[in-house]
Amino acid sequence: MNGTKPPNPEPEIVEGEEFYEIEKILDSRYRWKKLRYLVRWKGFDESYDTWEPADEIEERASELVAEFYKAHPNAPKWISATTFNNLPWRPLENVTEVDISSLGHRL
């Protein structure tokens, strides 16, 4: 290819809008309190990878999102309020407070 990139694939037109196919979800992160996915677009190299809002990607490529989390179970993800409220929370403890009466005469 003598140093030149092949041309970018043409988008599909769906309901009058350009549509590019997602090849793979590469990563996830929270940015400004919103979950985002790093997307590799089909037919494009890594220089075209973009961070996209999770709700848009989950709507378009739920099976790719599931594959990503199967391969990376500890990656940042969205959890529902119901799931969050059912987590086994422990009471907050102050582990730095010292009972000075136990120090006796050393004060």
Side-chain angles (χ1 to χ4, degrees):
M1 287 213 172
N2 62 359
T4 61
K5 286 185 175 181
N8 295 333
E10 291 294 319
E12 294 179 37
I13 305 299
V14 178
E15 297 178 10
E17 293 190 33
E18 292 184 349
F19 179 84
Y20 291 93
E21 189 174 348
I22 297 170
E23 180 178 319
K24 187 175 183 178
I25 307 296
L26 303 170
D27 202 356
S28 67
R29 71 177 183 191
Y30 273 93
R31 186 79 160 187
W32 299 296
K33 299 181 183 181
K34 302 271 185 189
L35 181 62
R36 301 178 76 80
Y37 293 114
L38 183 60
V39 173
R40 169 76 40 85
W41 300 99
K42 191 168 189 166
F44 291 87
D45 66 26
E46 66 275 355
S47 68
Y48 290 94
D49 295 350
T50 58
W51 288 98
E52 300 294 331
D55 54 346
E56 292 177 19
I57 300 305
E58 290 166 350
E59 184 178 297
R60 290 178 48 187
S62 59
E63 64 286 341
L64 292 176
V65 172
E67 286 176 22
F68 169 75
Y69 283 118
K70 186 174 181 183
H72 308 281
N74 294 326
K77 66 179 97 176
W78 164 258
I79 61 171
S80 71
T82 302
T83 301
F84 182 81
N85 289 332
N86 289 324
L87 290 173
W89 299 102
R90 294 186 322 195
L92 193 59
E93 297 177 35
N94 185 347
V95 295
T96 60
E97 191 171 285
V98 177
D99 179 12
I100 59 172
S101 66
S102 67
L103 298 175
H105 67 279
R106 291 183 281 179
L107 286 176

